[in-house]
């Protein structure tokens, strides 16, 4: 007997009103293309992309864009697939009136929009039409555009043509889109068409004329068309929400000025009882103008007749909202702004909180700001009827837009809260239905629910996760919640272990206390501090030398069973050799190990994580064959002092990364650049040193201590750019270097370096006139010593690469160098989410790598000893949560295929010194306040979610928790408990 179960918790469900409407939005220039066909005239954007092509980030244009002029039926089909009620699109002024004036109306333009409107109505979708979305005919732009008062009449004449031709079917009009953005970027700072730089003058003239043009188009409809057509006309304003940086009087005043200049400038004339600009704005600009020696204000006043003409000229507000800002006013603003300018007039500073998740462009996720803005509009402007006409965020290319899914969920939740407060919101339009030309960003930002392949002449559309997730589907019209069911869970094997990882130099600090010697990183940060991105160092780092008990407490909070940490070679042997063992160093690690064991946490100890004693470095370091014996002697000291309690050792961390960055390209310590030579010597000696330590343990300690020793290597996965023979060979060579170089000698039947790698380096060396290979061969005795010298593999994995080989690589690489030897190119696929640094999210690559290791090597067992992604400072690290879920899901899939993965260590337990990146990127699941002398640690969202995975032993994609309210994470996840209980009962039945 089986029972199908779907659990829904009513307390976790929020409901939209039955009459609430959903839609998606676009604009004409951004999607239509067909820029010069069927009689369309030039717009000022057609002019800009031809006269200033370099001004577009990727040097693209809207000439073809999404090709919607020809593919409008597919666009309507997409709306049907989404299940939405409404479509907001704009009409191209120069497509209707090529010369800007109604003396010639283009019949082809009329026919196109008639066809689109009819197609929408035939599919039960209501058109919401924007009359002007920044596409001014170039002929009118050349006559002054929005700086010419005659544009009020030009716009009214254009609106009349639209009402006459489409008003029998279009019942929802919006006059002008985002006047603040249009005027500021077009006439204030010259970053959009028409690129007129007139801050503090042209900017205000543009805004003034837009308000009057809206009013004239509204009055026209009101007097001549409303009675027969029965529609409504709205005005679309983009608004941000301000948050004072502090409760100081200056910052509170700055927020009031933000309201006046950012919101009130366009809201007050239309939606307030008084009409006109905010008095605060009028007075400020008047005062500034007089102080600047002018006879009149740069903000040209409205007459009383104009004030009355504008007031009430919108049946609804179209609200576009993307972002909130922290607002402040202090002495740092002195001299910051151009005089005159609107910024100098308003005189406040603004920024986004670094803890808010950021998309690929300008949007930060802070949904409470959306709620506060909506309530503010209700309370300030007599609760007008509102449509959310744009809301969304950007991603790079690709369909796995998890960040956008979370953004929509957060903002729709905030919208529901505003509805509960009585805010009169009638509908919501996602920006955007599809990827499009994002103005000066070109196609580098993608806001679409549907991906457009801009390299495909057919501009094929593909639904992204945000579309498939049905955020805007019929179900989501009525329901927004976190309903969990058994199908949304993935289960870990019962013996799978969770842990977290760190390394000594990155967290300990105390660089020169209690007898510790210098490491080569201590030397680097003193001799070449400019190598570190933020000019910081590991002198104090996370202060774990003093705060190790708090670190153990964090591991307990997480509920993990294992902790991977490394031992600082110069803290144990200040001079590198065992003739002096530092008792304080031994005491520190004894205390740490004992604290872990007292809390039932198993230590996994890395002997060497790049912290070579400086005096050994000065003797050649990893280029000196003697380092094999030095490392063997060091390992013996560790076994003697800690091996009674440490049962899981790892010898050397990431040989490939250490040798490449330290000895090939000189980015890391010891900053030696001998490409194609030193890298291979470093790698060779690391393998021999590892084997030396393994054999010492095997011969002298294993029988009494009963532990195991592993080797830790970092591997990326490669995907061939195409299925061509050349690219497949490039991938094989990539794998021989990045995987086989350190896996083959230890885990293959034959031992030694991969034959392919040996042959490639040998061939390149001979071509360069050398008598022998730069890859010095192992002796047969050395091969036998290395082979089988690991009881487990420690796998560090972060990212994958696309691999290729073609003529573009000719002359690219230094000769000699490892890249010239192996001769492949690599890059991240543009669809992979970029977390920062070198990490691009492609969990399929993790799965493929694990399968590849199983099929090609004799690996006793695997621990994932590092895996994670960076972020900027902040607790709400939703991207990292997604990364861990997806990569652990891939690990479970690999385990299901027989890969012997025993555990996972999150990198990193806490924010730390990230080598040459300093503290600019943060890998920690605990935030460390590096400005606090006490280095306060705070769990991020990823810590709380990782804790739940470790506790429940499932990946629940719907589990959510607020990192700013940690008490909410302490309770049991009831729905998971019930789901697992019922699943167990089904088995028992």
């Amino acid at each position: 007997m089986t029972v199908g179960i779907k659990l829904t918790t009513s307390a976790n469900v929020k409901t939209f009103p039955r009459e609430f409407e959903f839609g998606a939005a676009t604009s004409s220039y951004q999607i239509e293309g067909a820029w010069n066909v069927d009689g369309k005239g030039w717009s000022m954007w057609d002019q800009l992309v031809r006269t200033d092509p370099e001004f577009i980030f990727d040097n693209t244009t809207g000439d073809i864009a999404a090709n919607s002029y020809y593919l409008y039926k597919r666009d309507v089909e997409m709306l049907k697939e989404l299940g939405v009620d409404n479509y907001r699109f704009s009409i191209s002024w120069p497509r209707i009136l090529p010369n800007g004036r109604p003396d010639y109306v283009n019949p082809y333009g009329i026919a196109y929009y008639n066809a689109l409107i009819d197609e929408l109505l035939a599919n039960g979708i209501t058109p919401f039409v924007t009359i002007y979305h920044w596409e001014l005919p170039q002929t009118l732009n050349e006559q002054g555009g929005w700086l010419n008062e005659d544009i009020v009449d030009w716009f009214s004449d254009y609106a009349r043509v639209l009402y006459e031709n489409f008003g029998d079917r279009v019942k929802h009009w919006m006059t002008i889109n985002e006047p603040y953005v249009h005027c500021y970027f077009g006439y204030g700072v010259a970053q959009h068409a028409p690129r007129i730089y007139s801050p503090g003058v042209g900017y205000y003239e543009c805004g003034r004329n837009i308000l009057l043009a809206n009013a004239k188009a509204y009055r026209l409809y009101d007097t001549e068309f409303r009675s027969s057509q029965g529609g409504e006309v709205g005005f679309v304003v983009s608004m941000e929400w301000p948050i004072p940086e502090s409760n100081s009087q200056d910052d509170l005043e700055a927020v009031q000025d933000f309201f006046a200049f950012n919101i009130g400038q366009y809201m007050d004339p239309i939606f307030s009882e008084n009409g006109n600009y905010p008095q605060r704005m009028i007075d400020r600009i008047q005062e500034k103008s007089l102080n600047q020696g002018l006879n009149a204000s740069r903000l040209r006043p409205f007459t009383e007749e104009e004030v009355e003409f504008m007031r009430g000229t919108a049946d609804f507000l179209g609200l576009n909202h993307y972002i909130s800002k922290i607002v402040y006013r202090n002495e740092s603003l002195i001299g910051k702004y151009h005089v005159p300018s609107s910024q100098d007039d308003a005189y406040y500073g603004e920024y986004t909180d670094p803890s808010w998740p950021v998309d690929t462009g300008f949007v930060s996720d802070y949904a409470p700001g959306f709620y506060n803005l909506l309530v503010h509009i209700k309370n300030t402007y007599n609760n007008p009827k509102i449509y959310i006409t744009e809301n969304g965020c950007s991603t790079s290319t690709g369909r796995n837009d998890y960040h956008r899914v979370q953004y929509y969920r957060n903002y729709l939740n905030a919208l529901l809260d505003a509805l509960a407060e009585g805010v009169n919101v009638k509908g919501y339009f996602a920006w955007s239905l599809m990827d499009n030309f994002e103005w000066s960003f070109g196609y580098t930002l993608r806001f679409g629910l549907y991906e457009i392949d801009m390299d495909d002449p057919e501009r094929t559309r593909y639904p992204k996760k945000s579309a498939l997730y049905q955020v805007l589907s019929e179900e989501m019209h009525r329901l927004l919640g976190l309903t969990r069911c058994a199908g949304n869970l993935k289960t870990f094997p019962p013996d799978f272990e969770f842990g977290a990882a760190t390394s000594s130099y990155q967290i300990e600090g105390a660089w020169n206390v209690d007898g510790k010697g210098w490491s080569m990183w201590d030397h680097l940060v003193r001799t070449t501090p400019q190598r570190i991105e933020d000019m910081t160092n590991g002198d104090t780092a996370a202060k774990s030398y003093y705060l190790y008990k708090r670190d153990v407490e964090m591991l307990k909070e997480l509920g993990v069973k294992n902790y991977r940490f490394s031992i600082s070679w110069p803290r144990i042997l200040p001079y590198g050799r065992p003739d002096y063992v530092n008792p304080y160093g031994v005491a520190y690690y004894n205390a740490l190990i004992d604290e872990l064991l007292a809390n039932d946490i198993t230590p996994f100890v890395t002997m060497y994580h790049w912290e070579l004693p400086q005096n050994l470095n000065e003797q050649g370091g990893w280029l000196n064959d003697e380092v094999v014996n030095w490392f063997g002697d060091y390992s013996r000291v560790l076994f003697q002092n800690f091996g009674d309690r440490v049962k899981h050792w790892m010898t050397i961390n990431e040989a490939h990364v250490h040798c490449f960055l330290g000895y090939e390209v000189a980015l890391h310590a010891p900053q030696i650049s001998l490409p194609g030579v030193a890298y291979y010597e470093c790698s060779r000696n690391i393998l021999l040193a590892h084997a030396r330590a393994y054999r010492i343990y095997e011969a002298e300690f294993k029988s009494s201590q009963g532990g195991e020793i592993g080797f830790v290597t970092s591997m990326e996965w490669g995907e061939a750019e195409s299925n061509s023979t050349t690219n497949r060979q490039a991938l094989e060579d990539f794998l021989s270097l990045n995987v086989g170089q350190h896996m083959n000698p230890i885990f293959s039947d034959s031992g030694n370096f991969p034959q392919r790698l040996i042959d490639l380096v040998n061939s390149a060396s001979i071509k360069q006139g050398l008598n022998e290979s730069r890859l010095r061969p192992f002796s047969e005795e050395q091969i036998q010593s290395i082979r089988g010298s690991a009881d487990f593999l420690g796998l560090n994995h972060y990212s994958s690469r696309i691999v290729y080989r073609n003529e573009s690589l000719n002359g690219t690489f230094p000769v000699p160098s490892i890249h010239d030897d192996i001769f492949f190119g690599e890059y991240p696929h543009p669809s992979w989410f970029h977390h920062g640094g070198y990490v691009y999210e492609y969990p399929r690559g993790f799965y493929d790598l694990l399968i590849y290791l199983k099929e090609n090597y004799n690996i006793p067992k695997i621990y994932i000893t590092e895996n994670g992604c960076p972020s900027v400072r902040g607790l709400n690290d939703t991207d990292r949560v997604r990364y861990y879920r997806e990569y652990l899901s891939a690990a479970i899939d690999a385990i299901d295929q027989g890969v012997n993965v025993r555990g996972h260590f999150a990198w990193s337990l806490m924010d730390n010194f990230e080598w040459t990146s300093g503290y600019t990127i943060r890998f920690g699941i605990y935030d460390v306040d590096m400005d606090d002398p006490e280095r306060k640690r705070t769990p991020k969202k990823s810590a709380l979610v990782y804790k739940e995975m470790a506790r429940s032993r499932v990946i629940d994609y719907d589990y959510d928790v607020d990192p700013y309210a940690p008490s909410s994470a302490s309770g049991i996840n009831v729905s998971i408990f019930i789901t697992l209980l019922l699943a167990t009962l089904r088995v028992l039945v």
Side-chain angles (χ1 to χ4, degrees), residues 155 175-176 209-218 234-235 270 313:
F155 183 75
T175 54
I176 296 163
N209 287 330
I210 278 181
L211 284 163
L212 290 169
N214 165 77
K216 187 145 190 179
Y218 180 90
F235 186 63
I270 298 173
T313 54

Side-chain angles (χ1 to χ4, degrees), residues 91-98 100-107 109-111 113-114 117 129 131 153-170 173 217 220-221 224-225 229:
I91 289 178
S92 167
W93 190 340
R95 197 179 294 285
I96 297 295
L97 305 178
R101 303 303 306 280
D103 49 356
Y104 173 69
V105 179
N106 177 21
I110 298 292
Y113 291 110
N114 270 328
I117 292 165
V129 177
I131 296 173
D153 294 325
W154 300 340
F155 183 75
S156 175
D157 292 342
Y158 164 50
R160 182 189 298 277
V161 173
L162 302 193
Y163 299 151
E164 289 172 342
N165 282 276
F166 311 121
D168 58 327
R169 288 152 296 154
V170 174
W173 295 98
L220 171 67
Y221 190 84
E224 299 185 29
F225 296 94
Q229 295 183 356

Side-chain angles (χ1 to χ4, degrees), residues 508-667:
E508 284 180 3
W511 76 281
N512 63 348
V513 303
D514 291 343
K516 177 186 170 289
W518 277 39
S519 74
M520 61 182 179
W521 275 94
D522 294 320
H523 184 261
L524 182 152
V525 298
R526 276 158 182 78
T527 56
T528 53
Q530 69 278 6
R531 287 278 188 175
I532 312 303
E533 188 173 335
D534 55 1
M535 299 282 284
T536 57
N537 55 55
D539 289 3
T540 306
K543 212 174 180 180
S544 286
Y545 188 75
Y546 301 103
L547 300 176
Y548 69 91
K549 288 190 177 182
R550 172 63 183 131
D551 296 348
V552 176
E553 184 179 59
M554 286 147 56
L555 294 159
K556 287 286 283 184
E557 290 168 1
L558 284 173
V560 299
K561 296 301 182 184
N562 303 324
Y563 180 39
R564 180 193 173 207
F565 63 93
S566 73
I567 289 179
S568 167
W569 190 340
R571 195 178 296 283
I572 297 294
L573 304 179
Y575 307 108
R577 303 302 307 279
D579 48 356
Y580 173 69
V581 178
N582 178 21
Y584 298 102
V586 172
Y588 167 68
Y589 291 110
N590 270 328
L592 172 57
I593 292 165
D594 290 344
E595 185 73 13
L596 289 166
L597 294 172
N599 285 277
D600 296 321
I601 297 169
T602 301
F604 278 63
V605 177
T606 309
M607 301 178 192
Y608 178 76
H609 198 127
W610 308 354
E611 204 170 352
L612 189 69
Q614 175 60 13
N615 71 328
L616 298 186
N617 183 46
E618 291 169 357
Q619 296 175 58
W622 289 104
L623 305 187
N624 187 335
D625 289 355
E626 279 299 305
V627 77
V628 176
N629 293 321
W630 299 339
F631 185 76
D633 293 341
Y634 165 55
S635 71
R636 182 179 281 109
V637 173
L638 301 190
F639 300 148
Q640 289 169 339
N641 283 277
F642 312 118
D644 57 328
R645 288 151 296 153
V646 173
K647 306 305 176 185
H648 307 275
W649 294 99
M650 289 154 281
T651 54
I652 295 164
N653 184 73
E654 294 186 344
H656 170 68
V657 176
H658 189 38
C659 296
F660 178 73
L661 296 179
Y663 294 87
E664 177 82 4
V665 295
L667 290 176

Side-chain angles (χ1 to χ4, degrees), residues 404-476:
R404 181 178 288 111
V405 170
Q406 189 60 46
Y407 180 94
Y408 279 132
R409 294 182 74 171
N410 291 342
Y411 277 71
L412 286 168
N413 257 309
L415 174 54
L416 281 163
D417 291 339
L419 288 170
E421 291 294 321
V423 181
N424 189 21
V425 181
K426 297 297 187 182
Y428 176 95
F429 293 79
W431 184 271
S432 172
L433 174 61
M434 70 195 88
D435 292 340
N436 54 44
F437 180 81
E438 190 51 44
W439 309 113
S440 58
F441 291 103
Y443 301 102
T444 61
L445 301 184
R446 305 294 185 105
F447 277 85
L449 294 168
Y450 278 74
E451 180 186 47
I452 306 290
D453 185 350
M454 297 297 176
D455 297 322
D456 176 6
E458 300 302 317
R459 295 300 195 269
T460 306
R461 283 99 157 108
Y462 303 97
K464 302 180 186 178
K465 186 181 181 76
S466 54
L468 297 174
Y469 199 74
Q470 296 186 334
V471 174
L472 304 176
S473 68
E474 183 62 30
E475 178 184 358
M476 289 301 296

Side-chain angles (χ1 to χ4, degrees), residues 176-251:
I176 296 163
N177 183 73
E178 294 184 344
Y180 172 81
V181 178
H182 189 38
C183 295
Y184 179 75
F185 286 105
Y187 297 86
V189 294
Q191 292 181 0
H192 279 190
R195 293 204 65 208
I196 292 174
Y197 185 70
S198 183
V201 181
Y203 165 75
Y204 294 129
E205 281 297 294
C206 170
R208 184 181 194 280
N209 287 330
I210 278 181
L211 284 163
L212 290 169
N214 165 77
K216 187 145 190 179
Y218 180 90
R219 300 298 182 195
L220 171 67
Y221 190 84
D222 210 31
T223 57
E224 299 185 29
F225 296 94
R226 190 186 296 274
S227 61
S228 61
Q229 295 183 356
E232 62 178 357
V233 179
F235 186 63
V236 178
V237 182
S238 179
M239 294 183 232
E240 299 169 346
W241 178 250
I243 303 162
E245 186 179 63
S246 73
N247 283 325
S248 71
Q249 187 62 34
D250 282 343
D251 288 345

Side-chain angles (χ1 to χ4, degrees), residues 653-762:
N653 184 73
E654 294 186 344
H656 170 68
V657 176
H658 189 38
C659 296
F660 178 73
L661 296 179
Y663 294 87
E664 177 82 4
V665 295
L667 290 176
H668 279 193
Q671 299 187 90
I672 291 173
S673 180
L674 288 172
V677 179
Y679 169 84
Y680 295 128
E681 284 295 295
C682 169
S683 182
R684 183 181 188 278
N685 284 330
I686 278 180
L687 283 164
L688 289 168
H690 158 78
R692 175 77 173 140
Y694 184 89
R695 299 307 174 192
I696 288 173
Y697 190 81
E698 186 179 50
E700 302 177 27
F701 298 95
K702 193 175 187 73
S703 62
S704 60
Q705 295 182 357
E708 61 179 358
I709 295 186
F711 183 71
V712 178
T713 186
S714 179
M715 295 181 228
E716 296 178 338
W717 181 248
E719 297 274 6
E721 186 180 61
S722 72
N723 204 32
S724 70
T725 300
T726 302
N727 284 332
R728 288 201 310 272
Q729 289 175 344
L731 178 57
E732 291 178 21
D733 295 340
F734 171 93
L735 294 174
S736 74
L737 179 71
N738 282 278
V739 178
Q741 179 185 185
H742 297 105
M743 292 296 292
N744 253 57
I746 299 173
F747 294 106
S748 72
D749 290 332
S750 60
N752 208 344
F753 292 122
Q755 193 60 47
R756 191 177 190 93
L757 180 65
I758 293 171
D759 293 343
L760 286 168
V761 183
N762 189 56

